Amino acid sequence: MIRIPIRERPNWEQKAAEYGFKFHTMYGEKYWDETAYYQFTLAQIENDLEQPTEEIHQMCLHVVDRVVNSEPLLQRFKIPQAHWDLVRDSWQSREPSLYSRLDFVYDGKNPAKLLENNADTPTSLYETGFWQWLWLENNVDARQLPRHADQFNILQEKLVNRFIELQAHNPDTVLHLACCRDSEEDRGTVQYLQDCAEEAGITCCFIYMDDIGVDAQGRFTDLDDQLIQWLFKLYPWEFMLQEDFAQYLSTSQTRWLEPAWKTILSNKALLPLLWQMFPEHPNLLPAYFSEAEAKATLLHGYVKKPLFSREGANITLVQGKDAVLQSDGPYGEEGFIYQALNPLPAFGDNYTLIGSWLIDNQAAGISIREDRSLITRDLSRFMPHVIVD
């Protein structure tokens, strides 16, 4: 795994406009960065990332099964008691899922270590599945990369195929797709998923979350008063369960992507439970619910993470008795977990995070984010990658 500088494509911003990539720059900061790329060997991809991704995913599903059958654990995951049956029934009926992303610390030499599971509302799909592949094709054609250069990236193909499978469970049903307003990134992610669903032959309809209504029978409706029978929502379950409309979630008869059981996988409480159930696993970091236990056990330091944190918010890195780095944000009232400090690898002045994607249960590609900070945030740069042997 090495970081290699490369010339930017001379027309990439124009090409981004043509393909609807509107969030390549956000708040004046470059988000998409093609001044360098990361190079892997095939063995690194297959043995160090692909195989552990699928294994850890299965381990995470064992955690879900344990949590839904334990009231104390449902409480520890801060799932409102009024919705325990919703989450439990979602799992026991095996409601199908679409996608997930596991985030790893990986330096190309040592085993990849799981940092968290983005199983409910992961973004950077478009950049991974389409845009970085287009970057690869363009640079191979321009002879900036060797002809045999490849990429671990079958995300778009697997998304389309997964939508075909899901449609079999929802024949002749419109798929509504929703996100919040005022986020180009979220809107771009949902549009990409809509494109993949339509390629699979599904009729789609976009709606903003705040435009969803409720009819007299407690069913969700769109702006045309059509029933929302099947909905992909880029809106976290932990928020959904706190909203005023949460009282209708069980009675609405809406089928959800992602299903309600994903609220367990996207919760940081997953991490100490994984460590309890699979201690010393080479791809896990020690993690605890108690800060006292973390201080006594994790002598090299630990990371304090809120249960519901997203985009690197409210993270604290602790070494010895001191907090060496903190990020702000709106989370923390729900409680924290404490995970062993295993800093991201440094490539020059850049700290690098690997996101490994799953479609249903299968590894489907990787995305790379880098930052000059050890905490990866929403504006951390997205970098392309290649496989060269």
Side-chain angles (χ1 to χ4, degrees):
M1 179 182 174
I2 53 177
R3 186 182 191 274
I4 302 175
I6 190 173
R7 290 197 303 272
E8 294 180 301
R9 293 168 294 171
N11 62 338
W12 77 264
E13 289 178 312
Q14 177 184 344
K15 195 180 292 286
E18 293 171 0
Y19 284 99
F21 187 13
K22 299 179 180 179
F23 53 95
H24 60 75
T25 301
M26 293 189 284
Y27 309 107
E29 298 287 336
K30 181 183 289 186
Y31 168 63
W32 165 262
D33 187 347
E34 58 177 71
T35 61
Y37 62 91
Y38 284 83
Q39 181 173 299
F40 300 82
T41 67
L42 185 59
Q44 287 174 326
I45 294 294
E46 291 181 341
N47 302 330
D48 296 349
L49 293 171
E50 185 175 4
Q51 188 274 332
T53 293
E54 294 186 355
E55 181 178 349
I56 289 175
H57 175 66
Q58 292 300 319
M59 290 158 52
C60 290
L61 298 182
H62 285 292
V63 173
V64 177
D65 194 60
R66 180 174 171 184
V67 172
V68 298
N69 291 297
S70 168
E71 291 187 0
L73 287 176
L74 287 166
Q75 291 173 338
R76 187 176 281 281
F77 276 66
K78 301 298 183 181
I79 297 172
Q81 185 171 352
H83 302 298
W84 286 358
D85 286 342
L86 172 72
V87 176
R88 184 182 295 117
D89 292 347
S90 170
W91 173 250
Q92 291 178 345
S93 62
R94 295 299 188 266
E95 290 184 353
S97 67
L98 177 62
Y99 72 144
S100 300
R101 193 190 74 234
L102 303 180
D103 285 346
F104 287 105
V105 179
Y106 179 63
D107 61 4
K109 307 181 188 77
N110 299 295
K113 301 287 188 179
L114 178 70
L115 290 181
E116 61 185 57
N117 189 343
N118 295 279
D120 186 15
T121 59
T123 55
S124 71
L125 264 178
Y126 173 85
E127 308 91 286
T128 303
F130 176 75
W131 188 253
Q132 70 167 342
W133 182 260
L134 183 64
W135 168 89
L136 174 70
E137 288 185 329
N138 291 164
N139 279 292
V140 168
D141 290 343
R143 300 184 180 179
Q144 297 299 311
L145 291 171
R147 278 283 164 196
H148 62 283
D150 202 354
Q151 202 173 78
F152 181 36
N153 189 4
I154 46 176
L155 190 63
Q156 183 163 309
E157 175 187 346
K158 283 189 173 294
L159 277 170
V160 174
N161 289 338
R162 182 60 177 157
F163 273 121
I164 291 172
E165 294 169 357
L166 292 171
Q167 187 183 33
H169 298 279
N170 303 275
D172 303 319
T173 303
V174 173
L175 173 64
H176 285 77
L177 301 98
C179 68
C180 293
R181 299 180 190 271
D182 303 323
S183 172
E184 286 280 10
E185 182 182 9
D186 286 4
R187 185 67 185 92
T189 297
V190 171
Q191 184 59 59
Y192 179 62
L193 283 168
Q194 181 172 336
D195 292 344
C196 291
E198 289 175 343
E199 187 176 340
I202 298 172
T203 301
C204 296
C205 178
F206 175 78
I207 187 170
Y208 285 112
M209 287 294 301
D210 59 4
D211 283 334
I212 296 175
V214 181
D215 71 6
Q217 287 76 47
R219 300 172 298 181
F220 294 116
T221 59
D222 63 17
L223 290 172
D224 295 321
D225 294 325
Q226 300 299 309
L227 292 181
I228 298 176
Q229 298 175 291
W230 188 21
L231 177 67
F232 172 87
K233 60 10 144 262
L234 196 67
Y235 193 66
W237 270 108
E238 65 264 23
F239 294 175
M240 297 266 291
L241 299 181
Q242 299 290 343
E243 294 281 6
D244 291 340
F245 61 68
Q247 61 185 304
Y248 304 110
L249 290 171
S250 296
T251 60
S252 68
Q253 301 179 14
T254 299
R255 294 182 291 278
W256 303 96
L257 284 178
E258 295 294 316
W261 58 263
K262 282 291 192 82
T263 193
I264 295 172
L265 293 189
S266 62
N267 190 309
K268 302 298 187 300
L270 172 78
L271 300 170
L273 209 53
L274 275 172
W275 187 248
Q276 289 179 17
M277 294 174 65
F278 305 96
E280 308 301 329
H281 190 282
N283 299 114
L284 295 179
L285 291 168
Y288 304 97
F289 289 110
S290 161
E291 187 167 19
E293 190 171 9
K295 287 180 177 179
T297 308
L298 305 175
L299 303 181
H300 296 292
Y302 59 89
V303 183
K304 180 181 178 182
K305 298 181 176 182
L307 300 187
F308 298 151
S309 176
R310 292 172 181 272
E311 305 284 6
N314 300 103
I315 302 295
T316 303
L317 275 58
V318 178
Q319 287 183 316
K321 297 181 179 180
D322 301 319
V324 297
L325 187 62
Q326 292 179 287
S327 60
D328 58 8
Y331 304 100
E333 291 184 6
E334 69 277 14
F336 297 86
I337 63 94
Y338 307 87
Q339 185 183 50
L341 176 63
N342 189 329
L344 297 174
F347 293 82
D349 296 328
N350 306 293
Y351 296 101
T352 304
L353 176 76
I354 306 291
S356 186
W357 292 87
L358 292 124
I359 304 302
D360 194 19
N361 297 312
Q362 297 181 322
I366 63 170
S367 53
I368 299 175
R369 302 291 296 279
E370 84 175 14
D371 204 297
R372 293 182 181 262
S373 167
L374 279 167
I375 299 177
T376 306
R377 300 298 304 269
D378 55 342
L379 295 181
S380 298
R381 298 178 301 280
F382 187 106
M383 311 293 294
H385 78 278
V386 301
I387 303 170
V388 176
D389 269 325

